Amino acid sequence: MTLPQLYLVLLIGCATVLVSIAAIRATHRLGLPALLVFLGAGMALGEDGLGIAFGSFEIAQVIGTFALALILIEGGLSTRWRAISGQLAPAGLLATAGVGVSVAVVAFGAHYLLGFSWQTSLILGAVVASTDAAAVFSELRGVGLPKKLSGTLEAESGFNDAPAVILVLAFSSAAGIPSTVNLIGTLVWQLTAGTAIGVAVGFGGAWLLRRLALPMSGLYPLAVFSLGLAAFAAAGALNASGFIAAYLASLILGNSHLPHRAATLSFAAGLGWMAQLGMFVMLGLLASPANLMNALVPGLILGAVLTLVARPLSVVLCLVPFRFSLREQTLISWAGLRGAVPIVLATIPQSERLPGGQALWDIVFILVVAFTLLQGPTLPWVARRLGLSSPEVVQEVEIETAPLDAVDGEVLTITIPKRSGLAGLRLFELRLPEGSAIAGVVREKRLFVPEMSDRLRSSDQLIVVTSPRLREATEQRLTALTRAGRLARWLGESGKD
């Protein structure tokens, strides 16, 4: 590539990013997912648009896999452990047995309704079996669901990519469908080894970063994100699941009370959005409108089987041991959003040169776009109709930590969200652990040292000085207050989960 060509590529790329960002604002008001904007941008740039030729499914698979790793790392870092800790069992069952049920049901539909071979049918079932982490993270956090539901859905979307990838690779083998013993052995090894690597990198990285006094705060986000990628790469090098390793390592790092959490989350969110944008634009470049028209009917039929039969059946069967009402099961079924993951996984059969790979990819593309248009915008409405969404759900406080090496102390900054129980409290009512103190309040861009009788307001930013020994207790007290106000202790609210 020459320098003038580089300038042209950068100019087209930056223009695409800026136009897509501007379009997201309009689609967000309509409740449409961002992925549709990015896919549309890619198709507009493709051979049937501006004429940019791109047809390498091998390159798309590599870039898409890397982008999915970045998205999972961002999702893990931004997920609060207390939001999902109580829902790991149902989420884990949905991410494993639920994926298996979806694969079987969709495969039966593809074979008996559309006449595909069993190998192609199983590939289709595995490709569309997992929910999409990026779609779920972005859509759910604005709906206002109870922690029981949002935690289950977020944890499931973080865990279920790994089994789906393993199954797609196994079914796409030129040797045909593997034996049950080999398939189970592969699943157990990849999931177990990936989990072990992710946990080891997460706890090891957190231990290391707590003991490193980095010279600049901007290095902390870079270090944390690099650890997530290291877990992904290490697992992949050992033929284990890089996706589950990356998600678990990032989940542990994001909940380890590391310095500069807010800066780390901002950095991760930026990289996550860039990964989404680049991946969807690339996938849009692969799409051919002529081929997509031929895949329209099969895509809609399989989408209906997945959405109306496979997903609800997997939810009902997997949640039998747990106390989920019919309304909750209905919402979890409808919130099984698909996105980039199926489209990226659909490049694997093409890369393996399997017969019918192009038709399979086109079907998956149609399925994802059509049912994202159906489920994404209607999810808030469905949640409200089921009585499971409320605009009054109080947001969790975001607490940022910065080290004070000289006095072995730390500064916590807490922004009081709307409808928080902290709003309206006088300072003396906080009753923080002895040894922690309010050093200042930022209100309307003005810093002042408050009196004990001063009342807090929404959007105030508290500056709390504490010590490593008292930090956890201080955070729990502030979390309890934001949930239940001055009656937190009387109502049994401890802020621990």
Side-chain angles (χ1 to χ4, degrees):
M1 178 183 290
T2 64
L3 201 57
Q5 288 175 327
L6 175 63
Y7 294 148
L8 181 61
V9 169
L10 288 176
L11 182 61
I12 293 174
C14 292
T16 302
V17 170
L18 294 172
V19 170
S20 299
I21 290 173
I24 288 173
R25 180 180 178 86
T27 56
H28 182 71
R29 292 176 177 175
L30 298 175
L32 298 177
L35 72 89
L36 298 177
V37 177
F38 301 150
L39 284 174
M43 295 180 70
L45 293 171
E47 290 188 48
D48 295 312
L50 293 181
I52 297 177
F54 179 74
S56 175
F57 284 87
E58 292 83 357
I59 294 176
Q61 180 187 343
V62 172
I63 295 177
T65 300
F66 177 66
L68 289 176
L70 296 180
I71 292 168
L72 279 171
I73 292 171
E74 189 272 331
L77 291 173
S78 60
T79 298
R80 287 291 195 179
W81 174 250
R82 59 175 171 264
I84 68 169
S85 57
Q87 309 307 320
L88 290 181
L93 205 56
L94 285 169
T96 50
V99 167
V101 172
S102 291
V103 171
V105 173
V106 173
F108 270 92
H111 182 72
Y112 289 109
L113 295 178
L114 300 176
F116 287 114
S117 68
W118 274 116
Q119 183 177 16
T120 301
S121 299
L122 287 169
I123 293 172
L124 275 168
V127 162
V128 300
S130 69
T131 57
D132 185 76
V136 170
F137 292 147
S138 61
E139 292 293 329
L140 286 187
R141 292 175 184 176
V143 176
L145 296 179
K147 284 195 301 180
K148 178 182 178 181
L149 296 181
S150 61
T152 300
L153 288 164
E154 288 193 24
E156 178 202 7
S157 68
F159 292 137
N160 65 9
D161 289 344
V165 172
I166 296 168
L167 292 175
V168 173
L169 289 170
F171 295 145
S172 298
S173 171
I177 302 172
S179 68
T180 303
V181 173
N182 288 337
L183 184 60
I184 293 176
T186 301
L187 280 167
V188 170
W189 162 253
Q190 291 217 17
L191 295 179
T192 303
T195 298
I197 292 170
V199 171
V201 172
F203 282 114
W207 180 88
L208 180 64
L209 288 177
R210 288 195 198 99
R211 285 154 179 79
L212 284 179
L214 299 179
M216 289 177 287
S217 61
L219 293 176
Y220 283 96
L222 189 60
V224 170
F225 220 89
S226 296
L227 285 167
L229 281 176
F232 172 75
L238 295 175
N239 198 29
S241 174
F243 287 141
I244 199 166
Y247 181 71
L248 285 174
S250 304
L251 180 65
I252 292 168
L253 289 166
N255 288 273
S256 295
H257 303 292
L258 297 178
H260 306 292
R261 172 180 165 81
T264 299
L265 291 182
S266 296
F267 179 80
L271 280 183
W273 273 108
M274 185 59 71
Q276 287 189 63
L277 195 155
M279 176 173 56
F280 286 127
V281 169
M282 175 193 68
L283 295 174
L285 285 170
L286 284 175
S288 169
N291 292 336
L292 294 178
M293 290 304 298
N294 295 330
L296 182 61
V297 173
L300 294 178
I301 291 174
L302 280 185
V305 171
L306 173 66
T307 306
L308 303 179
V309 183
R311 173 66 177 179
L313 183 61
S314 67
V315 169
V316 170
L317 293 177
C318 291
L319 297 185
V320 166
F322 310 100
R323 294 181 178 179
F324 284 84
S325 66
L326 180 60
R327 291 184 301 131
E328 291 171 333
Q329 292 179 22
T330 301
L331 183 65
I332 291 174
S333 299
W334 193 250
L337 303 175
R338 269 65 186 177
V341 176
I343 304 177
V344 172
L345 295 184
T347 63
I348 294 176
Q350 272 285 69
S351 302
E352 298 294 329
R353 301 288 192 272
L354 290 182
Q358 179 66 58
L360 186 150
W361 190 88
D362 294 332
I363 289 171
V364 172
F365 189 95
I366 289 292
L367 184 156
V368 169
V369 171
F371 284 85
T372 297
L373 277 170
L374 174 65
Q375 291 174 270
T378 59
L379 181 57
W381 178 83
V382 171
R384 288 193 300 270
R385 292 289 295 176
L386 292 172
L388 297 172
S389 174
S390 171
E392 301 302 318
V393 172
V394 177
Q395 303 174 25
E396 294 284 358
V397 289
E398 288 293 332
I399 303 177
E400 166 69 278
T401 305
L404 293 175
D405 298 327
V407 295
D408 192 29
E410 292 173 345
V411 175
L412 309 181
T413 59
I414 304 98
T415 300
I416 300 177
K418 293 180 179 179
R419 297 182 293 275
S420 168
L422 283 168
L425 294 186
R426 298 186 187 275
L427 238 63
F428 70 84
E429 294 178 300
L430 298 184
R431 296 184 177 87
L432 299 180
E434 187 175 352
S436 298
I438 303 293
V441 175
V442 178
R443 178 177 297 164
E444 297 177 351
K445 299 181 179 180
R446 185 176 66 86
L447 173 66
F448 67 95
V449 178
E451 302 290 339
M452 295 301 291
S453 58
D454 286 347
R455 288 187 184 275
L456 299 175
R457 303 178 187 175
S458 295
S459 301
D460 280 356
Q461 188 177 56
L462 307 184
I463 301 174
V464 182
V465 177
T466 186
S467 67
R469 179 176 59 85
L470 297 172
R471 179 179 64 189
E472 184 174 357
T474 303
E475 290 189 4
Q476 289 176 358
R477 175 61 179 163
L478 290 168
T479 300
L481 289 170
T482 201
R483 293 176 183 171
R486 60 174 58 86
L487 298 179
R489 287 177 178 169
W490 291 99
L491 297 176
E493 174 62 65
S494 63
K496 292 182 179 181
D497 52 21

